[in-house]
């Protein structure tokens, strides 16, 4: 394709994640602290406080990103810290959700082996956490000059539809929405199924909350498709590089 349609991981990160050098360390520390503070509340079954802390951490991310873009102070270091803070937040919420799912199983089936029937949810949520961190590692590896050149490839149609106009399109909005809302929605979902209620359930009609959560699952699935493509693409580059290296070594030995 033309140069304008060529995908680079760095350009994607700049569109999604942005942080100023002046504020990144301060915001990073506060966002991570709020994430762990929310986990502490979740373990204590204080669901409202947990949810509030996680949403505050998300809002700080939004504020930092808007400030960086308006001031024109986006940097590679700020992007890196921003991605780390986002991944930490989402991982913590997924971990809390796993805890809620297992706790729900213990309440509903106290006579059965604890956690047997919640393994499906545990596996799915754990796979999401692993996928996000593998994607992070792959994306950072591509920032070196060696890998970055190799990764400049044309993505499939579904991936291009997400990236189109810097995510300013229905598919892009849905993917980003699912990425950030799915863990929070899952936590609210499992908390409510235990009889607990968060301020989200109190503010919004039950059917509307369900629609928002299911919509976030669709978006999270779309995000997973993009992440899998990134990981597989990078893996293909690594394998090709290894094969090329072995070919060069064989030529040297034959000479």
């Amino acid at each position: 394709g033309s140069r304008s349609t060529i995908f680079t991981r760095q350009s994607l990160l700049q569109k999604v994640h942005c942080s100023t050098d002046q504020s990144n360390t301060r915001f990073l520390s506060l966002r991570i602290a709020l994430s762990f503070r929310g986990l502490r509340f979740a373990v204590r079954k204080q669901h409202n406080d947990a949810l509030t802390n996680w949403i505050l951490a998300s809002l700080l991310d939004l504020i930092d990103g808007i400030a960086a873009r308006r001031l024109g102070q986006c940097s590679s270091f700020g992007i890196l810290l921003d991605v780390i803070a986002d991944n930490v937040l989402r991982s913590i919420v997924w971990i809390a959700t796993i805890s809620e799912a297992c706790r729900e199983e213990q309440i509903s089936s106290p006579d059965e082996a604890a956690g047997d029937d919640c393994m499906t949810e545990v596996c799915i949520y754990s796979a999401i956490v692993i996928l996000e961190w593998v994607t992070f590692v792959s994306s950072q590896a591509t920032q070196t000059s060696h890998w970055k050149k190799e990764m400049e490839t044309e993505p499939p149609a579904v991936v291009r539809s997400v990236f189109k106009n810097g995510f300013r399109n229905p598919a892009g909005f849905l993917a980003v929405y699912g990425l950030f809302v799915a863990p929070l929605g899952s936590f609210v979902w499992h908390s409510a199924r235990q009889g607990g209620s968060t301020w989200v359930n109190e503010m919004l009609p039950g059917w509307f909350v369900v629609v928002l959560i299911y919509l976030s699952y669709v978006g999270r699935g779309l995000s997973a498709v993009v992440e899998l493509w990134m990981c597989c693409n990078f893996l293909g580059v690594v394998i090709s590089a290894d094969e090329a290296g072995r070919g060069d070594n064989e030529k040297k030995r034959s000479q």
Side-chain angles (χ1 to χ4, degrees):
S2 64
R3 184 65 184 174
S4 62
T5 60
I6 292 297
F7 167 80
T8 61
R9 177 64 178 168
Q10 182 67 18
S11 63
L12 168 64
L13 288 173
Q14 288 176 342
K15 292 174 181 176
V16 181
H17 304 277
C18 198
S19 182
T20 62
D21 281 334
Q22 292 85 353
S23 65
N24 50 32
T25 303
R26 180 173 64 255
F27 275 98
L28 171 69
S29 301
L30 184 54
R31 286 162 58 191
I32 291 179
L34 287 171
S35 300
F36 278 99
R37 190 165 183 258
L39 179 60
R40 181 183 179 187
F41 283 125
V43 171
R44 295 180 176 180
K45 301 182 182 180
Q46 296 173 283
H47 301 139
N48 277 325
D49 292 330
L51 194 60
T52 299
N53 277 266
W54 293 330
I55 291 180
L56 283 176
S58 300
L59 290 176
L60 284 177
D61 176 30
L62 179 63
I63 293 172
D64 189 30
I66 292 175
R69 291 183 181 90
R70 289 190 174 181
L71 295 174
Q73 295 179 344
C74 293
S75 67
S76 297
F77 181 65
I79 291 171
L80 173 63
L81 293 183
D82 192 52
V83 176
I84 291 174
D86 284 345
N87 276 22
V88 168
L89 170 60
R90 291 195 299 268
S91 296
I92 283 177
V93 179
W94 283 122
I95 290 171
T97 302
I98 291 173
S99 176
E100 290 297 310
C102 293
R103 186 181 296 164
E104 174 189 339
E105 176 61 26
Q106 290 176 328
I107 293 175
S108 60
S109 305
D111 297 330
E112 298 179 9
D116 284 349
D117 293 337
C118 72
M119 282 307 299
T120 300
E121 288 93 342
V122 170
C123 290
I124 292 175
Y125 300 154
S126 299
I128 292 174
V129 174
I130 293 170
L131 178 60
E132 290 192 359
W133 284 106
V134 172
T135 303
F136 169 76
V137 173
S138 299
S139 69
Q140 295 310 307
T142 62
Q143 300 313 304
T144 64
S145 58
H146 173 68
W147 295 119
K148 188 175 181 180
K149 182 178 179 181
E150 298 293 336
M151 286 291 288
E152 293 179 350
T153 57
E154 184 74 19
V158 64
V159 177
R160 292 199 306 272
S161 67
V162 173
F163 296 153
K164 186 178 180 181
N165 297 326
F167 295 91
R168 296 182 182 90
N169 66 85
F173 173 81
L174 184 60
V176 175
Y177 172 80
L179 188 67
F180 288 93
V181 177
L184 296 170
S186 298
F187 179 79
V188 171
W189 177 280
H190 286 286
S191 300
R193 289 177 63 176
Q194 294 181 52
S197 179
T198 65
W199 51 264
V200 173
N201 303 101
E202 296 172 357
M203 289 178 58
L204 301 174
W207 66 268
F208 189 62
V209 173
V210 172
V211 169
L212 292 177
I213 292 175
Y214 275 111
L215 189 62
S216 73
Y217 290 160
V218 174
R220 191 61 190 84
L222 185 58
S223 295
V225 171
V226 175
E227 290 169 325
L228 287 170
W229 174 78
M230 291 179 179
C231 294
C232 291
N233 191 28
F234 175 68
L235 181 61
V237 172
V238 173
I239 293 174
S240 298
D242 286 343
E243 292 176 349
R246 285 194 295 268
D248 292 339
N249 291 335
E250 291 177 358
K251 290 181 180 179
K252 290 180 180 178
R253 286 196 297 267
S254 62
Q255 292 177 351

